[in-house]
Amino acid sequence: MVARWQLALLASAAEAVALVQLLPKYSISGSYGLTFAAIFSLHFLGLAIWTVFLYPKLFSPIRHLPQPSGASFFNGHFSKIVKEPTGKPMLEWVNSVPNHGLIRYTTLLNSERILVTNAKGLGEVLVTKNYDFVKPSGIREGIGKILGVGILLAEGEEHKIQRKHLMPAFAYRHIKDLYPSFWAKSRELVQALSAFVKEEAAQAGQEKDLSSTAVVALGTWMSRATLDIIGVAGMGQDFNAIEDPETELYTTYKKIFQPSRAARMIGLASMFIPIQLLRMLPLKRNDEIMAASDVIKSVSRNLIRSKQRKMAEEKGRADVDILSVALESGGFSEEDLVNQMMTFLVAGHETTATSMQWALITLCQYPEMQTRLREEVRANLPSPNDATAQMSADILDRLPYLHAVCNEVLRVYPAVPMTRRVADHDTSILGQFIPKGTDVFLAPGAINLSIDLWGEDALEFKPDRWLGSGTNNGGASSNYALLTFLHGPRSCIGQAFAKAEFACLLAAMVGRFELELVDKNAPILIQTGITARPKGDLGLRTRVLEGW
């Protein structure tokens, strides 16, 4: 759409110059400005009528696809989409709109979008035709400032090369070497949090013979822990965020992940104005993003150079972290590695922190599940107080209910409930012609809860669906029913890393603490940013349980 408006501007300017110079009597007072304004107004009106009304309603090749009811004449389903959390309208539509794999819906000014809803369609977009559908350039220009233009945002051949060089770092045989690091940080988290709860309880005047209890904003603790883990396991650097919440890197991320009205307004404006222009405006949010980008790049660059010096001194890789493996591959320039490290710093800690928040809240809602999980953890895992105990994949695999709970949290509460693609050229999905530039949406927040794919109990939080023989996919009718990590060449390269980290953290937290919602009747709202997490830093009543 932006290209059309830009073309209209250029055409209007050229026509105004030609009219004033060649046919001045048809211009407005021989003025270039007035003539341009008049011509552009005509172009604007014609383009608006075509874009908003004629094309989507009468000429679009996808106009006949099934679509939800309730669309407004001018703005389609925009009102419903902005009022509800990201992905919630799509969940409703997936389970209520009869379709054969594609749903068409419209948003602001009747802009068309396609939602892919069945396994075969998802297989085409994610696997067989995955490079037909690319991330919008605005995303690359926007969150690329924080994420870096690494593997998450790379496209085409660039993406293939990056993934090839990074795959050894994320191979399961390498991830197994990181379990001790995951557990060490999990131990540090529960020990620091236990001390904090006991201090809070003492200040509140609790009797010493009672288990210490305090209301704790656990969201920040989870973010600090996961940032430390990606630092140690990903880069061989302890950021010490658990110990000190005022470290420069943690406070930088905390600021940019904090949603603001300005951030939402920039996001809305980017639908009509190129993000490059929006980033040039003298806005406080732009200054914050640039300052944060500088800090994250500086940290990443310093880590890379420090690791290069260490490897040169020791004549090869001495550490098991991801950065060391990536450097050993020799496939990246320093700038490439900076972008990759920026990507892993964000994607590697914010998503798992979000999953941890949802896991703890959900286990508060189902206390019998929390008790069952705690019993399994205490029966099979060493106490966090035991500094000599080792953790391995084999040990953690002895806890089937832990993995079932983790899988069900990842299914019901995907950290990223929606992901957008744009058709890079004319193509098709399920035999339906898809014009170049069409927005195609994949919705883990809807597909993961699809009744067609998961059965009548799809909307229930039910860890037991992952237990028993033949239930590696939770009983779903297709592997594509779980989209949390996507699939195919664009699937999350850090999936094994994230699941192992998540399991270690959750085991340690539930093994050590009994958790309750402060207000069991208060609604749990969703706050959408880079991830979809609980709104606000929800405080949970946290009680230290001794004996483990």
Side-chain angles (χ1 to χ4, degrees), residues 369 372 376 397 399-413 447-449 453-454 457-458 460-485 487 495 499 502:
M369 295 182 188
R372 179 180 171 185
E376 182 184 73
D397 284 345
L399 285 75
Y401 194 64
L402 170 65
H403 292 293
V405 170
C406 289
N407 284 335
E408 190 69 347
V409 170
L410 292 170
R411 181 186 78 89
V412 178
Y413 301 105
I447 297 300
N448 289 6
L449 299 168
L453 294 170
W454 289 92
D457 63 354
E460 298 177 27
F461 184 85
K462 189 177 177 183
D464 283 330
R465 74 174 76 243
W466 299 92
L467 299 176
S469 60
T471 54
N472 287 337
N473 68 347
S477 61
S478 166
N479 287 336
Y480 291 105
L482 186 68
L483 280 191
T484 302
F485 297 101
H487 291 276
Q495 177 176 348
K499 293 176 79 169
F502 184 23

Side-chain angles (χ1 to χ4, degrees), residues 213-503:
T213 304
V215 175
V216 183
L218 289 175
T220 56
W221 282 90
M222 297 306 106
S223 292
R224 288 156 58 188
T226 54
L227 182 60
D228 273 1
I229 287 175
I230 192 61
V232 172
M235 298 160 200
Q237 174 67 44
D238 193 341
F239 295 131
N240 293 313
I242 293 175
E243 179 183 341
D244 179 11
E246 299 304 318
T247 60
E248 182 182 34
L249 190 60
Y250 176 70
T251 54
T252 296
Y253 278 125
K254 186 176 180 181
K255 181 180 293 184
I256 60 175
F257 289 150
Q258 193 70 30
S260 67
R261 180 178 176 83
R264 290 192 293 270
M265 294 302 293
I266 289 174
L268 183 61
S270 67
M271 298 176 66
F272 307 98
I273 303 171
I275 192 69
Q276 298 94 324
L277 295 179
L278 291 173
R279 290 295 181 213
M280 294 170 64
L281 297 177
L283 301 174
K284 181 182 178 183
R285 181 64 180 178
N286 285 340
D287 293 339
E288 290 175 347
I289 293 294
M290 290 305 299
S293 177
D294 289 343
V295 169
I296 299 165
K297 281 184 178 179
S298 176
V299 169
S300 299
R301 199 177 305 278
N302 289 339
L303 285 173
I304 291 164
R305 292 176 178 175
S306 174
K307 184 69 67 175
Q308 286 172 325
R309 287 193 296 269
K310 183 176 182 182
M311 290 177 68
E313 291 169 0
E314 299 181 7
K315 294 182 170 45
R317 173 163 62 95
D319 300 318
V320 297
D321 57 84
I322 292 166
L323 176 56
S324 294
V325 178
L327 278 167
E328 189 180 43
S329 75
F332 297 100
S333 67
E334 182 180 278
E335 200 58 36
D336 289 336
L337 280 171
V338 168
N339 280 304
Q340 301 301 340
M341 293 305 104
M342 289 176 72
T343 296
F344 297 143
L345 277 170
V346 176
H349 96 270
E350 180 63 12
T351 51
T352 305
T354 296
S355 296
M356 278 297 298
Q357 288 185 69
W358 285 119
L360 298 177
I361 288 171
T362 305
L363 290 173
C364 288
Q365 295 171 323
Y366 297 95
E368 70 285 358
M369 295 182 188
Q370 184 181 155
T371 299
R372 179 180 171 185
L373 178 57
R374 182 177 301 110
E375 290 173 351
E376 182 184 73
V377 167
R378 289 190 164 206
N380 292 280
L381 296 187
S383 167
N385 294 332
D386 185 354
T388 63
Q390 293 297 309
M391 179 57 64
S392 69
D394 291 339
I395 293 173
L396 210 63
D397 284 345
R398 299 174 193 164
L399 285 75
Y401 194 64
L402 170 65
H403 292 293
V405 170
C406 289
N407 284 335
E408 190 69 347
V409 170
L410 292 170
R411 181 186 78 89
V412 178
Y413 301 105
V416 182
M418 289 277 288
T419 185
R420 179 185 172 194
R421 298 287 188 270
V422 176
D424 194 43
H425 51 262
D426 289 351
T427 184
S428 65
I429 306 174
L430 299 173
Q432 168 65 51
F433 174 69
I434 306 294
K436 177 181 177 179
T438 302
D439 283 333
V440 177
F441 278 79
L442 308 172
I447 297 300
N448 289 6
L449 299 168
S450 165
I451 292 173
D452 282 345
L453 294 170
W454 289 92
E456 292 300 320
D457 63 354
L459 300 178
E460 298 177 27
F461 184 85
K462 189 177 177 183
D464 283 330
R465 74 174 76 243
W466 299 92
L467 299 176
S469 60
T471 54
N472 287 337
N473 68 347
S477 61
S478 166
N479 287 336
Y480 291 105
L482 186 68
L483 280 191
T484 302
F485 297 101
L486 300 182
H487 291 276
R490 299 309 305 256
S491 63
C492 174
I493 196 171
Q495 177 176 348
F497 183 106
K499 293 176 79 169
E501 171 190 17
F502 184 23

